[in-house]
């Protein structure tokens, strides 16, 4: 029997009341238009110059808002097809619409305030006129950006929801589209409207970063030395704080023209002791915070099939070298007591008779963390700001890996070091305060990329994989392909398009920079001079003696006849040339050393723990010359910090091991490990010197072939987007997990991916999550709203960032402890309380 019609109608109306209305960004535009028309009608009657300016800018805003509606309606209709699922709405097209919505909301606030207070004696007309002009320019540029978003639809597979064009579609896409997007005027996004799309609690932090970037860049290019640059930055900081237009112009200029060395220098500011100590003071203390240095050696792990698997040290580019990790633990646990042996007293001596402290039992869980920094900057030290709170909230030891950075050490060096450290931690978990029953691998930004690569490598090697991988705002596609979210680089204050492209190019080993034609000519001229000097040196080696019998080449005599400054500069080139190891190869991708080749090369040269360097195990060394001819090494620690050096022959805490702290004024403190056993050391003195990283950073690589005359190569004057588009190495499975084979991806454990609505890398997260889901792999995807790329580093300055950090903790706990749905809801309630 059917219910009465009245009951049917009441039920249907109740269902309609519970359904959420579909939100459209067109509605705020209509509201804005009403306010704008009201102000236009008012200022149309004004006779003052200020009134005429208000009238003009309101007319412009009305025209721009009307022009936005068709593009918004088009993208809103198509955007849901690109979502990960119905429960997680979000993709690059939605983000573009949200950015427009945020701008419109700001204009609504300003227009409403003007309409209410325009006749008041206290109305600051000049201030609000500048605000309207700034947001009017932003609205105009966003309209252009939406137009390019519509163009991307023509090269995307809408039916399958592909946010990146496939190979065939990418070849058909005119490169002018990407170049035009890169050439858009971006100053309006870095002035008064900086960070308008993010939550209010981020405004002060983003302003501070922007002022620091502008002032530091001016001092960086005008002065040499840390102190001079810091003083200049402080001097110019006040000007950029009060003049947002000048700040925007400086930021756009520096992100367009500066090389990767500036990016490394600026991002490394957080590595300084003063800033690090302030952040750590806010983050709280931990019982254990120690650096551990793992010496290069081979060891075996039990494979999944019962057979032992040999793990070899990283050796790409510069040969074997130590790998450094940082151990953090909120409470001291069993197995960590050996770390106290490297703790010096105030007088620099070691107290070996300190009675052991009561330690908590070993934790069943362990978090292995890989830090971000665009593959070119940061260490675990600058990420302690949230790792310390994670150590408290998770209740497990945290191991953070410090890997070598590009461009000095491009791919695959960082990947090799992370995998080597992961395997060592798996083998020695009991000495780190954990039984190793549950292991989570986590990384933010570039660290998320390396975490996925390490997870795939562990599965392919047949060693124990982690229980799960958690990634935050990660670039899964290093190969530069256009997507709607990547266009957000144009207005991102923390990841501008110029910096993003430089980081990708540096990790891939590309040397091209954003430089002018004049600078390119100067580079080639210097290359010619160096070639002639090196060629003369090599020719002199081939001859027994010259006609004078002195053994000095003609080129060397020319150097001796020059000024002392020129003599010193060119003599340094000859000295370094003595260390060149000549290699002949025709491989265009010589900088890429696949791990299989490295493994086989090392395995063939390891005999009873004696490490011998293979003849061809050194790639071209990336060395840079400073203005005075000195070699700049990739890793430098400003302040000495105690490091525990692990002897490959002895496990940590072995009774036969004695430690002695050695401190040097120019080098970090190290620990000399002595053994009472009669076993021979792993390497003799000659071999040990070969294993020193510093002694392996002197090669200049191949000598360039110089043609007659000086010509400017096109690589120096064309956009790097063209080069990134043509480099095949960026499709390597371990560099771009998005391009990995199904076989490698099937070996991954559960993966938790956390993205941000306004992150330029959001589309990377969505497409990688969908790829894993298509392979029936367990994947969890969540989007954080209105927070920028790198929000973890701001977790102490805003409640929204703190709540987002708790979201990451929840996903890590789910990997370590396997939360059920009820426990997840309980933790979600805790997150809402934090918000």
């Amino acid at each position: 029997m059917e219910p009465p019609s009245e009951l049917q109608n009441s039920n249907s109306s109740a269902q309609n009341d519970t359904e959420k209305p579909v939100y459209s960004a067109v509605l705020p535009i209509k509201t804005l238009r009403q306010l704008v028309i009201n102000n236009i009608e008012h200022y149309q009657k004004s006779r003052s110059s200020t009134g005429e300016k208000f009238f003009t800018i309101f007319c412009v805003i009305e025209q721009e808002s009307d022009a936005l509606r068709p593009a918004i309606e088009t993208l809103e209709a198509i955007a849901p097809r690109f979502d990960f699922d119905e429960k997680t709405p979000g993709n690059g097209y939605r983000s573009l619409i949200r950015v427009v919505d945020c701008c419109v909301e700001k204009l609504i606030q300003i227009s409403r305030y003007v309409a209410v207070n325009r006749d008041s004696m206290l109305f600051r007309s000049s201030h609000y006129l500048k605000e309207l002009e700034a947001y009017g320019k932003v609205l105009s540029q966003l309209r252009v950006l939406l137009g390019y978003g519509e163009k991307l639809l023509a090269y995307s597979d809408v039916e399958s929801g592909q946010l990146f064009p496939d190979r065939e579609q990418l070849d058909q896409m005119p490169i002018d589209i990407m170049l035009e997007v890169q050439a858009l005027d971006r100053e309006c996004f870095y002035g008064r409207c900086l960070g308008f799309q993010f939550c209010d609690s981020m405004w002060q932090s983003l302003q501070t970063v922007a002022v620091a970037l502008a002032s530091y860049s001016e001092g960086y290019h005008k002065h040499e030395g840390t102190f001079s640059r810091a003083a200049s930055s402080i001097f110019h900081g006040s000007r950029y704080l009060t003049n947002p237009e000048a700040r925007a112009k400086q930021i756009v200029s520096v992100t367009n023209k500066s090389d990767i060395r500036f990016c490394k220098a600026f991002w490394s500011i957080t590595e300084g002791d003063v800033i690090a100590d302030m952040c750590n003071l806010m983050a709280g203390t931990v019982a254990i915070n120690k650096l551990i240095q793992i010496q290069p050696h081979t060891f075996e792990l039990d494979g999944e099939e019962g057979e032992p698997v040999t793990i070899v040290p990283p050796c790409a580019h510069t040969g074997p070298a130590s790998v450094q990790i940082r151990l953090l633990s909120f409470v001291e646990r069993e197995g960590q007591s050996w770390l106290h042996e490297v703790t010096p007293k105030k007088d620099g001596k070691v107290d070996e008779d300190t009675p052991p402290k009561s330690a908590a039992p070993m934790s069943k869980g362990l978090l292995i963390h890989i830090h971000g920094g665009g593959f070119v900057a940061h260490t675990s030290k600058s990420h302690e700001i949230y790792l310390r709170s994670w150590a408290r909230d998770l209740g497990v030891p945290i191991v953070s890996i410090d890997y070598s950075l590009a461009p000095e050490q491009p791919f695959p060096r960082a990947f090799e070091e992370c995998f080597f450290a992961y395997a060592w931690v798996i083998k020695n978990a009991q000495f780190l305060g954990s039984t190793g029953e549950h292991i989570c691998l986590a990384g933010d930004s570039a660290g998320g990329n390396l975490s996925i690569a390490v997870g795939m490598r562990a599965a392919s090697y047949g060693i124990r994989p982690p229980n799960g991988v958690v990634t935050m705002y990660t670039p899964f596609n290093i190969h530069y392909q256009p997507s709607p979210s990547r266009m957000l680089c144009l207005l991102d204050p923390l990841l501008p398009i110029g910096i993003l492209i430089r980081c990708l190019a540096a990790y891939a080993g590309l040397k091209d920079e954003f430089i002018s034609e004049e600078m390119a000519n100067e580079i080639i001229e210097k290359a010619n001079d160096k070639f002639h000097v090196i060629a003369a040196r090599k020719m002199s080696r081939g001859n027994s003696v010259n006609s004078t019998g002195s053994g000095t080449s003609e080129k060397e005599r020319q150097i001796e006849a020059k000024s002392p400054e020129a003599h010193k500069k060119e003599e340094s080139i000859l000295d370094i040339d003595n260390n060149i190891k000549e290699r002949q190869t025709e491989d265009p991708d010589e900088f890429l050393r696949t791990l299989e080749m490295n493994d086989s090369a090392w395995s063939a040269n390891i005999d009873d723990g004696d490490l011998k360097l293979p003849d061809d195990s050194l790639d071209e060394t990336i060395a840079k010359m400073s203005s005075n001819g000195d070699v700049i090494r990739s890793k430098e620690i400003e302040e000495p910090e105690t490091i525990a050096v692990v002897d490959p022959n002895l496990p940590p805490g072995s009774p036969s091991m004695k430690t002695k702290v050695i401190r040097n004024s120019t080098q970090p403190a190290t620990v000399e490990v002595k053994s009472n056993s009669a076993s021979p050391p792993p390497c003799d003195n000659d071999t040990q010197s070969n294993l020193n990283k510093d002694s392996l950073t002197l090669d200049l690589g191949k000598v360039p072939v110089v043609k007659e005359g000086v010509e400017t190569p096109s690589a120096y004057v064309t956009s790097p987007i063209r080069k990134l588009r043509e480099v095949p190495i960026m499709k390597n499975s371990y560099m771009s997990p998005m391009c990995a084979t199904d076989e490698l991806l099937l070996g991954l454990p559960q993966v938790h991916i956390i993205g941000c609505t306004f992150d330029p890398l959001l589309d990377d997260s969505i497409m990688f999550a969908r790829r894993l889901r298509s392979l029936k792999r367990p994947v969890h995807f969540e989007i954080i709203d209105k927070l920028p790329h790198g929000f973890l580093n701001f977790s102490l300055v805003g409640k929204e960032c703190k709540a987002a950090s708790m979201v990451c903790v929840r996903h890590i706990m789910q990997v370590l402890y396997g939360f059920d749905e009820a426990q997840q809801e309980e933790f979600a309630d805790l997150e809402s309380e934090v918000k």
Side-chain angles (χ1 to χ4, degrees), residues 264 371 375-379 403-410 414 634-635:
K264 292 170 68 72
H371 67 80
F375 303 103
V376 301
H378 288 181
T379 65
Y403 52 87
S404 296
L405 304 173
E408 292 83 5
Q409 300 284 358
S634 60
K635 283 189 176 180

Side-chain angles (χ1 to χ4, degrees), residues 120-164:
S120 173
M121 295 293 294
L122 301 178
F123 178 63
R124 297 183 297 164
S125 58
S126 60
H127 169 75
Y128 287 100
L129 183 61
K130 291 180 180 179
E131 291 286 309
L132 287 171
E133 290 176 347
Y135 279 100
K137 291 179 181 178
V138 168
L139 196 65
S140 176
Q141 290 300 95
L142 291 178
R143 177 180 58 82
V144 178
L145 205 59
L146 287 182
Y148 284 108
E150 289 182 292
K151 290 183 179 181
L152 287 180
L153 284 174
Y155 301 96
S156 302
D157 189 351
V158 179
E159 296 299 328
S160 60
Q162 295 295 320
L163 288 164
F164 291 96

Side-chain angles (χ1 to χ4, degrees), residues 98-107 135 138-139 142 196:
R98 286 291 308 279
V99 169
V100 175
D101 192 27
C102 292
C103 182
V104 170
E105 289 293 338
K106 292 290 185 180
L107 282 170
Y135 279 100
V138 168
L139 196 65
L142 291 178
F196 68 91

Side-chain angles (χ1 to χ4, degrees), residues 481-583:
Q481 291 179 294
S483 80
S485 73
R486 292 198 173 189
M487 289 196 295
L488 295 175
C489 283
L490 294 173
L491 59 151
D492 195 287
L494 299 177
L495 196 62
I497 185 171
I499 291 180
L500 174 62
I501 294 176
R502 283 189 188 86
C503 292
L504 299 182
Y507 188 49
L510 301 181
K511 310 295 193 303
D512 302 328
E513 295 289 354
F514 299 78
I515 60 177
S516 63
E517 186 173 352
E518 292 76 15
M519 294 178 65
N521 288 331
E522 183 179 355
I523 290 175
I524 299 303
E525 289 175 0
K526 291 181 179 179
N528 287 339
D529 294 340
K530 184 170 72 173
F531 169 74
H532 292 309
V533 172
I534 295 176
R537 183 73 173 179
K538 292 182 180 295
M539 291 177 61
S540 65
R541 294 173 183 171
N543 301 329
S544 57
V545 291
N546 57 18
S547 58
T548 61
S550 61
T552 304
S553 66
E554 179 66 20
K555 189 65 179 180
E556 289 173 319
R557 290 197 298 273
Q558 293 177 6
I559 295 176
E560 294 175 357
K562 292 186 177 181
S563 62
E565 293 77 8
H567 172 79
K568 181 179 179 181
K569 183 177 181 179
E570 297 194 22
E571 187 65 31
S572 64
I573 297 178
L574 292 175
D575 291 339
I576 293 179
D577 178 57
N578 292 333
N579 294 280
I580 295 179
K581 293 178 172 61
E582 300 179 10
R583 301 173 60 201

Side-chain angles (χ1 to χ4, degrees), residues 6-82:
E6 295 83 3
L7 183 58
Q8 290 181 346
N9 293 334
S10 62
N11 290 338
S12 61
S13 62
Q15 292 176 359
N16 293 332
D17 292 338
T18 57
E19 292 180 358
K20 294 183 179 180
V22 178
Y23 176 81
S24 174
V26 176
L27 298 178
I29 293 179
K30 293 180 179 179
T31 304
L32 174 63
R33 192 172 187 277
Q34 294 174 358
L35 292 170
V36 167
I37 291 176
N38 178 275
N39 284 291
I40 289 176
E41 292 175 350
H42 172 80
Y43 285 107
Q44 189 175 11
K45 305 173 184 178
S46 177
R47 299 294 181 180
S48 64
S49 60
T50 301
E52 292 178 356
K53 291 180 181 178
F54 271 109
F55 173 78
T56 302
I57 188 58
F58 276 120
C59 289
V60 172
I61 293 175
E62 181 193 15
Q63 295 174 0
E64 293 294 342
S65 59
D66 288 342
L68 277 171
R69 293 182 60 176
I72 290 179
E73 291 173 350
T74 300
L75 295 181
E76 280 187 333
I78 205 73
R81 301 188 183 185
F82 298 92

